[in-house]
Short mmCIF file of all heavy atoms in Angstrom, two decimals:
data_model
loop_
_atom_site.label_atom_id
_atom_site.label_comp_id
_atom_site.label_asym_id
_atom_site.label_seq_id
_atom_site.Cartn_x
_atom_site.Cartn_y
_atom_site.Cartn_z
N PHE A 449 -6.35 17.89 -5.13
CA PHE A 449 -6.61 16.75 -6.00
C PHE A 449 -7.68 15.84 -5.39
O PHE A 449 -8.64 15.43 -6.04
CB PHE A 449 -5.30 15.99 -6.23
CG PHE A 449 -5.47 14.66 -6.91
CD1 PHE A 449 -5.80 14.59 -8.25
CD2 PHE A 449 -5.30 13.48 -6.20
CE1 PHE A 449 -5.96 13.37 -8.88
CE2 PHE A 449 -5.46 12.25 -6.82
CZ PHE A 449 -5.79 12.19 -8.16
N ARG A 450 -7.49 15.57 -4.11
CA ARG A 450 -8.41 14.65 -3.42
C ARG A 450 -9.83 15.20 -3.38
O ARG A 450 -10.81 14.46 -3.48
CB ARG A 450 -7.88 14.36 -2.03
CG ARG A 450 -6.59 13.51 -2.02
CD ARG A 450 -6.92 12.05 -2.05
NE ARG A 450 -7.78 11.74 -0.93
CZ ARG A 450 -7.38 11.66 0.34
NH1 ARG A 450 -6.11 11.81 0.62
NH2 ARG A 450 -8.23 11.40 1.30
N LYS A 451 -9.95 16.51 -3.20
CA LYS A 451 -11.30 17.08 -3.16
C LYS A 451 -12.01 16.84 -4.49
O LYS A 451 -13.21 16.60 -4.53
CB LYS A 451 -11.23 18.57 -2.86
CG LYS A 451 -10.88 18.82 -1.41
CD LYS A 451 -11.37 20.15 -0.96
CE LYS A 451 -11.52 20.14 0.54
NZ LYS A 451 -11.14 21.38 1.16
N ALA A 452 -11.26 16.91 -5.57
CA ALA A 452 -11.87 16.74 -6.89
C ALA A 452 -12.24 15.30 -7.18
O ALA A 452 -13.15 15.04 -7.97
CB ALA A 452 -10.92 17.27 -7.95
N ILE A 453 -11.54 14.34 -6.55
CA ILE A 453 -11.84 12.93 -6.87
C ILE A 453 -12.81 12.29 -5.88
O ILE A 453 -13.18 11.13 -6.03
CB ILE A 453 -10.56 12.06 -7.02
CG1 ILE A 453 -9.75 12.02 -5.73
CG2 ILE A 453 -9.71 12.53 -8.20
CD1 ILE A 453 -8.62 11.00 -5.73
N GLY A 454 -13.24 13.04 -4.88
CA GLY A 454 -14.30 12.54 -4.00
C GLY A 454 -13.81 11.81 -2.76
O GLY A 454 -12.64 11.44 -2.66
N ILE A 455 -14.75 11.62 -1.86
CA ILE A 455 -14.42 11.08 -0.53
C ILE A 455 -14.08 9.59 -0.57
O ILE A 455 -14.72 8.81 -1.28
CB ILE A 455 -15.60 11.35 0.44
CG1 ILE A 455 -15.62 12.85 0.71
CG2 ILE A 455 -15.49 10.56 1.72
CD1 ILE A 455 -16.48 13.27 1.85
N SER A 456 -13.10 9.22 0.21
CA SER A 456 -12.64 7.83 0.25
C SER A 456 -13.69 6.91 0.87
O SER A 456 -14.47 7.32 1.74
CB SER A 456 -11.37 7.71 1.09
OG SER A 456 -10.35 8.49 0.54
N TYR A 457 -13.62 5.69 0.45
CA TYR A 457 -14.45 4.60 0.97
C TYR A 457 -14.24 4.45 2.48
O TYR A 457 -13.10 4.50 2.96
CB TYR A 457 -14.07 3.31 0.24
CG TYR A 457 -14.42 2.06 0.97
CD1 TYR A 457 -15.73 1.59 0.96
CD2 TYR A 457 -13.45 1.34 1.69
CE1 TYR A 457 -16.05 0.43 1.65
CE2 TYR A 457 -13.77 0.18 2.37
CZ TYR A 457 -15.08 -0.26 2.35
OH TYR A 457 -15.39 -1.40 3.04
N ILE A 458 -15.33 4.24 3.19
CA ILE A 458 -15.27 4.04 4.65
C ILE A 458 -15.69 2.61 4.99
O ILE A 458 -16.85 2.23 4.77
CB ILE A 458 -16.24 5.01 5.38
CG1 ILE A 458 -15.99 6.47 4.97
CG2 ILE A 458 -16.18 4.82 6.89
CD1 ILE A 458 -14.74 7.08 5.50
N PRO A 459 -14.79 1.83 5.52
CA PRO A 459 -15.15 0.45 5.90
C PRO A 459 -15.82 0.43 7.27
O PRO A 459 -15.79 1.44 7.99
CB PRO A 459 -13.79 -0.24 5.98
CG PRO A 459 -12.86 0.85 6.39
CD PRO A 459 -13.39 2.14 5.83
N PRO A 460 -16.38 -0.71 7.66
CA PRO A 460 -16.87 -0.81 9.04
C PRO A 460 -15.68 -0.79 10.00
O PRO A 460 -14.56 -1.13 9.63
CB PRO A 460 -17.57 -2.17 9.07
CG PRO A 460 -17.10 -2.91 7.87
CD PRO A 460 -16.62 -1.93 6.87
N LYS A 461 -15.97 -0.43 11.25
CA LYS A 461 -14.88 -0.32 12.22
C LYS A 461 -14.21 -1.67 12.48
O LYS A 461 -13.00 -1.75 12.71
CB LYS A 461 -15.44 0.25 13.52
CG LYS A 461 -14.40 0.88 14.42
CD LYS A 461 -15.09 1.38 15.68
CE LYS A 461 -14.31 2.42 16.40
NZ LYS A 461 -15.04 2.93 17.57
N TRP A 462 -15.00 -2.74 12.43
CA TRP A 462 -14.39 -4.05 12.70
C TRP A 462 -13.31 -4.41 11.67
O TRP A 462 -12.47 -5.26 11.93
CB TRP A 462 -15.45 -5.16 12.81
CG TRP A 462 -16.43 -5.28 11.67
CD1 TRP A 462 -17.70 -4.81 11.64
CD2 TRP A 462 -16.22 -5.91 10.39
NE1 TRP A 462 -18.30 -5.10 10.44
CE2 TRP A 462 -17.41 -5.78 9.66
CE3 TRP A 462 -15.14 -6.59 9.80
CZ2 TRP A 462 -17.55 -6.29 8.35
CZ3 TRP A 462 -15.28 -7.09 8.51
CH2 TRP A 462 -16.47 -6.94 7.81
N ALA A 463 -13.34 -3.74 10.51
CA ALA A 463 -12.32 -4.01 9.49
C ALA A 463 -10.97 -3.41 9.87
O ALA A 463 -9.98 -3.56 9.15
CB ALA A 463 -12.78 -3.47 8.14
N PHE A 464 -10.92 -2.71 11.01
CA PHE A 464 -9.65 -2.21 11.53
C PHE A 464 -9.04 -3.20 12.52
O PHE A 464 -8.01 -2.94 13.11
CB PHE A 464 -9.83 -0.84 12.19
CG PHE A 464 -10.13 0.25 11.21
CD1 PHE A 464 -11.41 0.46 10.73
CD2 PHE A 464 -9.11 1.06 10.73
CE1 PHE A 464 -11.69 1.45 9.80
CE2 PHE A 464 -9.37 2.06 9.79
CZ PHE A 464 -10.66 2.26 9.33
N GLY A 465 -9.72 -4.32 12.72
CA GLY A 465 -9.17 -5.34 13.59
C GLY A 465 -8.12 -6.16 12.85
O GLY A 465 -7.88 -5.95 11.66
N PHE A 466 -7.51 -7.10 13.55
CA PHE A 466 -6.54 -7.98 12.91
C PHE A 466 -7.29 -8.97 12.03
O PHE A 466 -8.37 -9.44 12.39
CB PHE A 466 -5.71 -8.72 13.97
CG PHE A 466 -4.64 -9.58 13.38
CD1 PHE A 466 -3.45 -9.02 12.95
CD2 PHE A 466 -4.82 -10.95 13.24
CE1 PHE A 466 -2.46 -9.81 12.37
CE2 PHE A 466 -3.83 -11.75 12.67
CZ PHE A 466 -2.65 -11.18 12.24
N GLN A 467 -6.73 -9.28 10.85
CA GLN A 467 -7.43 -10.16 9.92
C GLN A 467 -6.49 -11.29 9.51
O GLN A 467 -5.31 -11.05 9.25
CB GLN A 467 -7.88 -9.37 8.69
CG GLN A 467 -8.55 -8.03 9.08
CD GLN A 467 -9.43 -7.48 7.99
OE1 GLN A 467 -10.25 -8.20 7.43
NE2 GLN A 467 -9.26 -6.22 7.68
N GLN A 468 -7.03 -12.49 9.45
CA GLN A 468 -6.20 -13.64 9.13
C GLN A 468 -6.65 -14.29 7.83
O GLN A 468 -7.84 -14.53 7.62
CB GLN A 468 -6.26 -14.67 10.27
CG GLN A 468 -5.32 -15.84 10.07
CD GLN A 468 -3.86 -15.41 9.98
OE1 GLN A 468 -3.36 -14.70 10.84
NE2 GLN A 468 -3.18 -15.82 8.91
N SER A 469 -5.68 -14.55 6.97
CA SER A 469 -5.99 -15.16 5.68
C SER A 469 -4.92 -16.18 5.32
O SER A 469 -3.84 -16.20 5.92
CB SER A 469 -6.04 -14.05 4.62
OG SER A 469 -6.46 -14.56 3.39
N ARG A 470 -5.26 -17.01 4.37
CA ARG A 470 -4.27 -17.90 3.74
C ARG A 470 -4.99 -18.51 2.56
O ARG A 470 -6.22 -18.64 2.55
CB ARG A 470 -3.76 -18.92 4.76
CG ARG A 470 -3.78 -20.37 4.38
CD ARG A 470 -2.65 -21.15 5.05
NE ARG A 470 -1.69 -21.53 4.04
CZ ARG A 470 -0.38 -21.56 4.18
NH1 ARG A 470 0.18 -21.25 5.32
NH2 ARG A 470 0.41 -21.92 3.20
N TRP A 471 -4.22 -18.80 1.54
CA TRP A 471 -4.76 -19.59 0.44
C TRP A 471 -4.38 -21.03 0.71
O TRP A 471 -3.26 -21.42 0.46
CB TRP A 471 -4.18 -19.11 -0.88
CG TRP A 471 -4.71 -19.85 -2.07
CD1 TRP A 471 -5.81 -20.65 -2.12
CD2 TRP A 471 -4.12 -19.86 -3.37
NE1 TRP A 471 -5.97 -21.16 -3.37
CE2 TRP A 471 -4.94 -20.70 -4.17
CE3 TRP A 471 -3.01 -19.27 -3.96
CZ2 TRP A 471 -4.66 -20.95 -5.52
CZ3 TRP A 471 -2.73 -19.51 -5.29
CH2 TRP A 471 -3.55 -20.34 -6.07
N SER A 472 -5.23 -21.74 1.37
CA SER A 472 -6.57 -21.51 1.80
C SER A 472 -6.83 -22.13 3.16
O SER A 472 -6.17 -23.08 3.53
CB SER A 472 -7.48 -22.25 0.85
OG SER A 472 -8.20 -21.51 -0.02
N TYR A 473 -7.85 -21.60 3.83
CA TYR A 473 -8.54 -22.37 4.86
C TYR A 473 -9.80 -22.83 4.13
O TYR A 473 -10.79 -22.10 4.07
CB TYR A 473 -8.89 -21.48 6.05
CG TYR A 473 -7.70 -20.73 6.64
CD1 TYR A 473 -7.72 -19.34 6.75
CD2 TYR A 473 -6.58 -21.42 7.07
CE1 TYR A 473 -6.64 -18.66 7.29
CE2 TYR A 473 -5.49 -20.73 7.61
CZ TYR A 473 -5.53 -19.35 7.71
OH TYR A 473 -4.47 -18.67 8.23
N PRO A 474 -9.75 -24.01 3.52
CA PRO A 474 -10.76 -24.35 2.50
C PRO A 474 -12.10 -24.83 3.01
O PRO A 474 -13.05 -24.91 2.24
CB PRO A 474 -10.07 -25.48 1.72
CG PRO A 474 -9.15 -26.12 2.70
CD PRO A 474 -8.75 -25.07 3.69
N ASP A 475 -12.19 -25.21 4.29
CA ASP A 475 -13.45 -25.82 4.73
C ASP A 475 -13.77 -25.41 6.16
O ASP A 475 -13.00 -24.70 6.80
CB ASP A 475 -13.36 -27.35 4.59
CG ASP A 475 -12.11 -27.88 5.26
OD1 ASP A 475 -11.58 -27.19 6.15
OD2 ASP A 475 -11.63 -28.97 4.87
N MET A 476 -14.89 -25.95 6.65
CA MET A 476 -15.36 -25.55 7.99
C MET A 476 -14.35 -25.93 9.07
O MET A 476 -14.12 -25.17 10.00
CB MET A 476 -16.69 -26.25 8.28
CG MET A 476 -17.78 -25.82 7.33
SD MET A 476 -19.42 -26.16 7.98
CE MET A 476 -19.37 -27.90 8.25
N THR A 477 -13.76 -27.12 8.93
CA THR A 477 -12.84 -27.59 9.97
C THR A 477 -11.63 -26.68 10.07
O THR A 477 -11.24 -26.25 11.16
CB THR A 477 -12.36 -29.03 9.64
OG1 THR A 477 -13.47 -29.76 9.20
CG2 THR A 477 -11.68 -29.67 10.81
#
Side-chain angles (χ1 to χ4, degrees):
F449 170 71
R450 291 274 304 286
K451 286 205 157 142
I453 61 170
I455 289 193
S456 300
Y457 158 79
I458 306 288
K461 201 181 200 177
W462 52 260
F464 290 82
F466 183 79
Q467 314 201 49
Q468 185 60 52
S469 186
R470 129 150 250 142
W471 181 15
S472 252
Y473 306 124
D475 51 23
M476 297 200 302
T477 317

